[in-house]
Amino acid sequence: MRATTIHAPYDMRVEDVPEPVVQLPTDALVRVLRACICGSDLWAYRGEAAREPGQRIGHEFLGIVEDTGAEVTRVRRGDLVVAPFMWSDGVCDYCQEGLTTSCEHGGFWGSVGYDGGQGEAVRVPCADGTLVQLPSDAVSDDRLLSALLTLSDVMGTGHHAALGAGARPGATVAVVGDGAVGLCAVLAAKRLGAGRIIALGRHQDRTDIARRFGATDVVAERGDAALEAVRELTRGQGAHAVVEAVGTEQSMRTAVNIARDGGAIGFVGVPHGSGTGLDLSVMFDRNIALRGGVAPVRAYIPELLPDVLDGTIDPSPVFDLTVGLEGVPGGYKAMDERTALKVMVSM
């Protein structure tokens, strides 16, 4: 089969690789219909996250079950399914507590020796705990498939950030970052009933989506200017709930500075850079809470899925470029150069 591999910084290839097969009785084999490129994939693309030459890549996909091991009971051949960005067994203590990303038997797509989502097929370990069945008629609805694909990562991650920040009815929410996760955090905050949503971003095509998703205000400034702008919008107090969806020292510092005393920050930006942007004395003095981390999206899919299916939320606009599998290297280039927000791969 064909699959995307990474060989060195900026060296992405679509190559022939062995067709995956069921290896364990708890496995399923999924033929991929839709996949996508994540902003976090760019750290490997740029050489800022280590990968072995030829390693698979991609962690967001949905598709059709082609085969299952003897112990798989919750999905069967022919089912349309979505996979969260990590597999999990669904039965360990962490999974039972909803922290599926800490599963004792879990793992990450594209790890050495495992398939990545940006390929024609994927062997899915722990299939019963990982895969979520979708309505079969969604196959014929391109927009719905796109929306459902976001449940594999960005919609669930945005929801995790909004929950960590304490988004709630009537609250003022500020979102630092205008990537796909930040935009989905805007949508999640709206879904959770936020009264005011301030999107921080400088790219109009993205802030236009933020407004479509429910942002009431847009702040294009950075640093001290962003702090002043948010304070002006909030009677000098700042936001009750702040989402940090970038992961840099500057973005975290901005998140702390625009938070209201007694507020909280939900952070989901993959940390990178030389520092944290956190001053614990400031957070202590102002009673600011910090929550977040790797989003356990598998635990959120059952809650978010009905709202996607009935149109209550539609995250599909985060995809602004679609490529075929052979076009994936160009998709990485487009996202790296910021000419695309999020690239979908249609098989």
Side-chain angles (χ1 to χ4, degrees):
M1 72 166 190
R2 302 286 284 173
T4 306
T5 56
I6 181 168
H7 291 261
Y10 305 101
D11 184 2
M12 310 298 297
R13 306 177 193 176
V14 180
E15 301 180 305
D16 290 326
V17 300
E19 187 85 22
V21 296
V22 169
Q23 298 179 14
L24 300 172
T26 52
D27 288 349
L29 180 63
V30 173
R31 184 66 53 178
V32 177
L33 293 179
R34 297 287 187 277
C36 52
I37 302 172
C38 183
S40 64
D41 291 331
L42 296 180
W43 301 120
Y45 178 70
R46 296 165 180 159
E48 297 181 40
R51 294 291 189 275
E52 293 186 3
Q55 190 171 338
R56 309 285 180 84
I57 196 167
H59 55 260
E60 301 159 283
F61 65 94
L62 57 74
I64 303 293
V65 176
E66 277 199 343
D67 196 7
T68 62
E71 295 179 13
V72 176
T73 60
R74 293 185 180 176
V75 296
R76 60 184 181 179
R77 293 181 185 181
D79 283 348
L80 177 67
V81 293
V82 63
F85 65 80
M86 293 183 71
W87 69 81
S88 53
D89 63 20
V91 297
C92 76
D93 288 346
Y94 291 113
C95 286
Q96 291 297 302
E97 294 167 5
L99 194 60
T100 52
T101 49
S102 292
C103 176
E104 295 172 356
H105 303 103
F108 195 84
W109 309 114
S111 300
V112 175
Y114 291 90
D115 298 313
Q118 294 162 19
E120 292 181 322
V122 177
R123 180 179 74 87
V124 178
C126 303
D128 273 347
T130 301
L131 298 173
V132 178
Q133 188 175 6
L134 303 172
S136 59
D137 57 1
V139 170
S140 60
D141 187 331
D142 284 339
R143 184 209 59 78
L144 181 56
L145 275 183
S146 299
L148 292 169
L149 179 58
T150 68
L151 296 177
S152 66
D153 187 346
V154 289
M155 188 62 227
T157 297
H159 179 66
H160 185 60
L163 288 177
R168 58 194 181 276
T172 295
V173 177
V175 177
V176 181
D178 59 3
V181 168
L183 294 174
C184 285
V186 170
L187 189 58
K190 178 69 173 178
R191 177 180 175 274
L192 292 169
R196 188 171 203 173
I197 303 172
I198 304 168
L200 282 73
R202 298 189 300 168
H203 305 86
Q204 185 174 344
D205 55 341
R206 301 183 179 201
T207 56
D208 285 349
I209 296 174
R211 290 190 183 278
R212 179 175 175 180
F213 281 1
T216 55
D217 304 274
V218 170
V219 169
E221 294 83 356
R222 287 187 173 186
D224 290 341
L227 169 60
E228 293 175 7
V230 173
R231 294 282 178 179
E232 184 176 348
L233 290 169
T234 58
R235 296 184 294 117
Q237 294 180 346
H240 300 96
V242 180
V243 167
E244 193 288 306
V246 182
T248 64
E249 184 173 350
Q250 178 185 358
S251 62
M252 182 60 80
R253 184 173 291 112
T254 297
V256 172
N257 288 339
I258 65 175
R260 185 180 189 270
D261 286 16
I265 298 167
F267 75 107
V268 292
V270 178
H272 51 276
S274 59
T276 66
L278 291 175
D279 184 333
L280 293 182
S281 64
V282 170
M283 298 181 70
F284 181 87
D285 290 344
R286 297 178 52 214
N287 281 283
I288 296 174
L290 181 67
R291 309 183 190 94
V294 185
V297 299
R298 176 60 181 86
Y300 297 139
I301 293 175
E303 175 184 351
L304 297 173
L305 177 58
D307 283 359
V308 172
L309 293 175
D310 69 14
T312 299
I313 57 173
D314 178 13
S316 65
V318 298
F319 296 110
D320 60 346
L321 177 64
T322 300
V323 299
L325 181 57
E326 301 299 326
V328 168
Y332 273 86
K333 187 173 187 292
M335 285 182 62
D336 182 53
E337 295 176 350
R338 300 183 75 88
T339 58
L341 166 60
K342 189 168 179 66
V343 175
M344 183 166 61
V345 184
S346 179
M347 305 296 180

